[in-house]
């Protein structure tokens, strides 16, 4: 099956007063149709920048595209111009992190959904204006019902502040699904929510995506949420792809030292969590070679000189490391 | 991790009984239109040297509880005793000496440093206010504390922007420790942190507790963190305690239906996907309009008619308390 989203060798920098900030460095990523891919990493590792690059919403004057391409459904999203414009919001939609800040507080939910549908929802008759209001409203109500919002008609007449956080995120998911996209980019959709609501929203997102065959690119720093929802997990570190693996292999048998340490940082009963000393390097002055080398316990000379290539191990498990952790290796620390 | 609990129970350092805090809800022309019952009939005690976790979803009153204990809010009903002395009750004005014994740590303690003060000045300030010590004595004390939190002495002459965020957090904690508090209330100290940073922060909390013989009240919504650091845990829902007990016991055998749902909702790596059979629906109701009887009954899978009529009290079996009308029949 060919990939729906294909990112290869993507490098990207922002112009700043202190020189270029190399935020993404040779990123490789592919999302197949109907697949849920988790994009995991600490804050400042470039998750959100990558999501915005795919959507084509990076600040134009400030972004320098070094190399590589992003192809979504065959269209180049970085240099696509009009073609990319027609894809954004239709083939690819977005669920934001903060459902509190993503609605216009002055308009009713119904108005905001109608605006979205006027521009982005598929029109069977090919007409853009008039005659659609009824059909749009029915479609919106059906979708609000699908995201399990009680009394969808009453929700349409409400203002955003009258809804709770979980309800707002449900409306956001409904709005992301209405244009019948092939890919949804969900940028930390549950970090602002409580655990019981998070469980409901993650379950909903996964079920709807699977039912409709929609792919989801799910960025998160919560490894538990990634375990819940993903088919495949991609780990980013400081703008580089560190590891790509199917869900089970990723959690049971992480190969990259960074991934291993990230998993060992999770608090668990019966053992003290181990942190990762140091911090994510500044994109203005990234270390040479593998960007994780200043914090890595397995570092050697080659790590400082050469950037490790993303190499396949077994069963679609890709690791970019000169000294990957083998399955039976001892723990990295004592 | 946890200390053995079997030893002789130490006396209660903090004793909270029947604590309530209500806020007026005001409508048109500032007229009182209702009451937000943020905290209702909350009783528990914290033993010396233990870490008590307070968990619950947003709006359950856990921060209000912390702030009421701290004296930021005055209780509407009930009393708080610290080491035998009453420190809060309706209408009581708090003595300044209590403030030195009880400290409150916000989400990012480093953010409360004054950017225009050197770290030395920030660390001396609480001592100037609360003690009559000479400058030399204060300096000696500050240096000892700075060493204990793992900061180099040379940092004392720097300004907050010159050190990293993690070091700022350490200075913030040092500032809290200089007064030699007995009880520290942490309010969501790890939310918004990456797991790699969170692990080091938790280890620091743990070391400081051992070194300074501290007692912690740990308010958090993160169950995994609470499980790893707390000896006992209080689960709150809409301003009331629903379950209280030893952390290991509450997590391994939760008895209140809310605690069960809360634990079931947290993803477990390696376990089955919880989202596939998660049953709890909806969100907590508005705290200004709480349901009659048991406050959880509107979402509870076990709710019966009696739940709407009787407000369940916390019933204890050994030291595991549950506020549910049906827990005995469920346990049987």
């Amino acid at each position: 099956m060919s990939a729906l989203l294909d990112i290869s060798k993507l490098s990207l920098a922002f112009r700043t007063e202190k020189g270029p900030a190399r935020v993404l460095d040779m990123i490789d990523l592919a999302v197949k149709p109907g697949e849920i891919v988790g994009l995991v990493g600490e804050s400042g590792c470039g998750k959100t920048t990558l999501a915005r690059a795919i959507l084509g919403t990076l600040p134009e004057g400030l972004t320098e595209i070094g190399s590589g391409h992003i192809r979504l459904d065959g269209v180049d999203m970085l240099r696509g111009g009009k073609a990319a414009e027609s894809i954004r919001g239709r083939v690819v939609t977005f669920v934001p992190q903060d459902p509190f800040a993503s609605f216009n507080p002055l308009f009713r939910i119904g108005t905001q959904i109608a605006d979205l549908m006027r521009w982005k929802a598929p029109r069977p008759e090919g007409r853009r204006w008039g005659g659609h209001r009824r059909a749009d409203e029915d479609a919106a109500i059906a979708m609000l019902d699908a995201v399990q919002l009680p009394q969808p008609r009453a929700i349409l007449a409400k203002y955003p502040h009258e809804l709770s956080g979980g309800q707002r995120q449900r409306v956001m998911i409904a709005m992301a699904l209405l244009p019948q996209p092939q890919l949804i980019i969900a940028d930390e959709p549950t970090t602002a929510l409580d655990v019981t609501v998070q469980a409901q929203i993650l379950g909903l997102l996964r079920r709807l995506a699977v039912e409709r065959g929609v792919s989801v690119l799910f960025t998160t720093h919560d490894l538990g949420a990634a375990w819940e929802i993903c088919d495949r997990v991609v780990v980013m570190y400081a703008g580089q792809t560190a590891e790509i693996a199917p869900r089970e292999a990723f959690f049971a048998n992480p190969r990259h030292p960074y991934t291993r340490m990230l998993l060992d940082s999770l608090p668990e009963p019966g053992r003290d969590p181990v942190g990762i000393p140091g911090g994510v390097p500044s994109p203005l002055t990234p270390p040479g070679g593998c960007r994780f080398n200043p914090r890595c316990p397995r570092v050697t000379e080659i790590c400082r000189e050469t950037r490790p290539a993303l190499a396949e191990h077994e069963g679609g498990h890709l690791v970019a490391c000169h000294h990957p952790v083998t399955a039976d290796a001892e723990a990295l620390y004592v | 991790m946890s200390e053995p609990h079997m030893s002789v129970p130490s006396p209660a350092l903090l004793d909270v009984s029947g604590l309530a805090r209500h806020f007026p809800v005001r409508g048109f022309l500032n007229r009182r239109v209702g009451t937000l019952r943020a905290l209702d009939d909350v009783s528990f005690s914290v033993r010396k040297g233990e870490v008590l976790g307070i968990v619950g979803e947003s709006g359950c009153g856990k921060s209000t509880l912390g702030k009421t204990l701290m004296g930021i809010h005055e209780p509407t009903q009930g009393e708080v005793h610290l080491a035998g002395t009453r420190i809060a009750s309706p209408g009581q004005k708090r003595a300044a000496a209590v403030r030195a014994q009880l400290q409150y740590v916000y989400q990012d303690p480093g953010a409360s440093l004054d950017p225009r003060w050197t770290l030395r000045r920030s660390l001396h300030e609480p001592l100037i206010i609360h003690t009559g010590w000479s400058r030399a004595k204060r300096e000696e004390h500050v240096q000892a504390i700075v060493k204990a939190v793992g900061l180099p002495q040379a940092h004392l002459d720097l300004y907050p922007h010159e050190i990293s965020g993690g070091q700022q957090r350490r200075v913030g904690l040092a500032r809290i420790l200089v007064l030699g508090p007995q009880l520290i209330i942490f309010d969501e100290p790890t939310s918004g942190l990456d797991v790699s940073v969170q692990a080091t922060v938790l280890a620091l909390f743990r070391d400081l507790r051992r070194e300074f013989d501290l007692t912690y009240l740990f308010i958090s919504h993160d169950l995994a963190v609470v499980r790893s650091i707390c000896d006992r845990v209080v689960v709150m829902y809409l301003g009331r305690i629903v379950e209280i007990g030893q952390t290991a016991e509450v997590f391994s055998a939760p008895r209140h239906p809310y605690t069960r749902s809360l634990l079931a909702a947290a993803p477990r790596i390696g376990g089955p996907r919880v989202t596939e059979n998660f049953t709890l629906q909806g969100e907590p109701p508005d705290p200004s309009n709480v349901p009659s009887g048991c406050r959880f009954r509107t979402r509870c899978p076990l709710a019966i008619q009696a739940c709407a009529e009787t407000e369940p009290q916390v019933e204890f079996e050994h030291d595991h308390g549950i506020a549910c009308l049906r827990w005995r029949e469920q346990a049987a």
Side-chain angles (χ1 to χ4, degrees):
Chain A
M1 206 168 5
S2 71
L4 171 68
L5 173 72
D6 169 38
I7 300 175
S8 96
K9 306 260 179 299
L10 177 68
S11 295
L12 197 147
F14 291 125
R15 285 188 203 105
T16 67
E17 284 174 5
K18 294 173 187 164
R22 288 182 282 274
V23 183
L24 298 181
D25 183 24
M26 308 288 264
I27 291 283
D28 286 305
L29 176 71
V31 179
K32 297 194 230 24
E35 190 182 35
I36 302 181
V37 176
L39 193 58
V40 180
E42 290 174 278
S43 35
C45 72
K47 302 189 294 281
T48 302
T49 304
L50 182 60
R52 292 187 64 186
I54 298 165
L55 288 161
T57 54
L58 290 168
E60 227 167 82
L62 296 173
T63 316
E64 279 171 24
I65 298 153
S67 66
H69 66 257
I70 299 178
R71 278 208 193 91
L72 179 65
D73 204 20
V75 177
D76 189 334
M77 293 304 282
L78 287 174
R79 309 172 187 87
K82 274 264 181 287
E85 186 75 32
S86 72
I87 277 197
R88 184 185 314 140
R90 292 199 178 89
V91 176
V92 55
T93 57
F94 184 64
V95 178
Q97 173 173 4
D98 188 355
F100 299 88
S102 309
F103 283 104
N104 187 330
L106 300 177
F107 293 93
R108 293 177 197 275
I109 300 288
T111 314
Q112 301 193 38
I113 294 184
D115 277 350
L116 166 86
M117 294 187 72
R118 177 188 293 170
W119 295 106
K120 298 295 187 188
R123 300 283 184 188
E125 300 98 315
R127 276 172 60 198
R128 174 152 281 183
W129 304 99
H132 295 297
R133 206 168 283 172
R134 189 86 250 168
D136 279 1
E137 198 177 296
D138 289 346
I141 286 176
M143 191 57 80
L144 291 182
D145 203 42
V147 294
Q148 296 170 354
L149 277 166
Q151 299 171 315
R153 201 169 288 275
I155 299 262
L156 288 181
K158 284 188 175 173
Y159 286 96
H161 75 266
E162 295 177 273
L163 304 182
S164 69
Q167 285 175 327
R168 264 180 274 200
Q169 200 58 294
R170 281 170 202 268
V171 175
M172 275 295 167
I173 291 175
M175 288 172 79
L177 284 165
L178 271 170
Q180 298 176 10
Q182 294 179 43
L183 175 69
I184 295 178
I185 294 176
D187 189 8
E188 310 231 10
T190 56
T191 27
L193 304 174
D194 285 315
V195 275
T196 56
V197 183
Q198 166 177 304
Q200 296 166 12
I201 297 284
L202 288 180
L204 184 74
L205 194 57
R206 182 169 168 83
R207 214 186 57 245
L208 289 177
V210 170
E211 270 170 16
R212 283 152 211 255
V214 181
S215 309
V216 180
L217 184 67
F218 178 85
T219 70
T220 184
H221 66 262
D222 180 354
L223 292 160
W227 167 262
E228 267 316 304
I229 191 170
C230 299
D231 299 318
R232 222 149 47 90
V233 183
V234 177
V235 183
M236 278 179 72
Y237 181 77
Q240 297 180 333
T241 314
E243 185 163 3
I244 302 179
R247 182 182 80 135
E248 282 78 13
F250 175 84
F251 285 101
N253 189 12
R255 287 302 189 75
H256 198 284
Y258 174 63
T259 315
R260 183 84 177 243
M261 292 173 86
L262 210 53
L263 286 167
D264 284 337
S265 300
L266 291 174
E268 256 181 46
R271 90 174 148 72
D272 287 353
V274 190
I276 308 178
V280 179
S282 156
L284 291 168
T285 50
C290 170
R291 286 189 179 181
F292 187 57
N293 77 58
R295 298 170 85 185
C296 186
R298 303 169 78 91
V299 63
T300 57
E301 207 44 54
I302 188 172
C303 303
R304 299 197 183 89
E305 284 156 10
T306 328
R307 164 91 195 269
L310 203 58
E312 175 147 5
H313 285 245
E314 71 289 322
H317 196 146
L318 292 100
V319 186
C321 181
H322 291 299
H323 311 291
V325 185
T326 47
D328 52 353
E330 285 174 48
L332 297 164
Y333 43 83
V334 187
Chain B
M1 273 291 292
S2 54
E3 319 295 333
H5 311 291
M6 316 314 157
S7 55
V8 188
S10 20
L13 175 66
L14 182 80
D15 191 58
V16 179
S17 59
L19 196 68
R21 171 70 209 183
H22 300 168
F23 295 97
V25 179
R26 301 205 182 268
F28 184 58
L29 291 178
N30 211 21
R31 204 175 300 159
R32 189 172 174 143
V33 294
T35 307
L36 192 154
R37 302 161 78 93
L39 213 57
D40 244 334
D41 193 22
V42 168
S43 306
F44 62 89
S45 60
V46 188
R47 281 180 262 206
K48 189 157 175 46
E50 85 173 337
V51 182
L52 180 72
I54 306 219
V55 290
E57 294 178 280
S58 43
C60 75
K62 53 191 194 303
S63 284
T64 308
L65 173 63
K67 287 178 179 161
T68 311
L69 295 179
M70 198 51 216
I72 297 167
H73 298 316
E74 187 184 293
T76 310
Q77 279 164 38
E79 291 185 351
V80 180
H81 292 258
L82 180 72
T85 325
R86 194 176 72 185
I87 58 163
S89 62
Q92 183 181 357
K93 215 166 174 333
R94 176 161 295 195
V98 175
R99 286 202 293 260
Q101 294 176 35
L102 200 62
Q103 289 285 342
Y104 197 81
V105 179
Y106 288 93
Q107 214 176 79
D108 182 3
S112 39
L113 296 172
D114 189 321
R116 294 184 301 175
W117 284 9
T118 60
L119 303 181
R120 174 174 280 113
R121 188 168 168 197
S122 282
L123 288 169
H124 273 268
E125 192 201 22
L127 291 172
I128 295 172
I129 293 170
H130 286 280
T131 67
W133 295 355
S134 68
R135 189 186 184 86
K137 189 170 179 200
R138 289 199 313 257
E139 179 65 22
E140 189 187 331
H141 187 64
V142 164
Q143 298 219 353
I145 297 281
V146 162
K147 191 161 167 245
V149 298
L151 280 172
Q153 303 277 320
H155 275 30
L156 282 174
D157 292 314
L158 300 178
Y159 288 90
H161 72 268
E162 294 176 282
I163 59 178
S164 71
Q167 287 175 327
Q168 283 181 17
R169 184 174 293 113
R170 283 170 196 269
V171 176
L173 285 172
R175 196 158 179 258
I176 276 154
L177 292 169
V178 285
L179 288 175
Q182 298 193 52
L183 181 75
I184 301 185
I185 302 171
F186 291 91
D187 194 352
E188 300 278 8
T190 58
S191 69
L193 295 181
D194 282 314
V195 281
S196 55
V197 181
Q198 175 179 290
T200 38
V201 169
L202 288 178
L204 177 66
F205 290 166
R206 208 171 273 139
D207 294 345
L208 291 177
R209 184 171 77 94
R210 212 165 292 144
E211 187 156 345
F212 292 93
D213 193 22
L214 297 167
T215 307
Y216 288 170
L217 199 69
F218 200 90
I219 300 171
S220 179
H221 68 274
D222 189 330
L223 297 163
V225 168
V226 166
R227 185 173 196 172
S228 81
I229 198 170
C230 297
D231 302 316
R232 280 198 310 144
V233 62
V234 169
V235 184
M236 290 185 66
Y237 185 77
L238 272 186
R240 279 186 165 270
I241 292 181
V242 296
E243 187 156 359
I244 176 169
Q246 302 290 350
T247 308
E249 208 175 308
V250 171
F251 276 80
S252 62
R255 287 186 169 155
H256 196 282
Y258 176 66
T259 316
R260 281 188 202 161
S261 311
L262 200 61
L263 293 175
R268 277 215 350 266
I269 291 171
R273 283 191 163 118
V274 297
T275 50
E276 274 165 15
N277 44 19
F278 185 68
T279 51
L280 190 64
Q281 289 303 316
E283 290 171 60
D286 180 5
S288 61
N289 185 17
V290 292
S292 66
C294 174
R295 293 181 181 185
F296 184 56
R297 71 176 167 86
T298 49
R299 300 169 79 196
C300 183
L302 306 173
I304 50 172
Q305 189 54 42
C307 298
E309 288 150 15
T310 334
E311 188 146 7
Q313 301 300 313
V314 181
E315 287 175 32
F316 280 92
E317 188 182 61
H318 307 299
D319 56 355
H320 191 160
I322 304 103
C324 177
L325 294 177
R326 301 190 67 189
W327 79 267
R328 278 182 205 282
E329 52 175 299
Q330 290 293 317

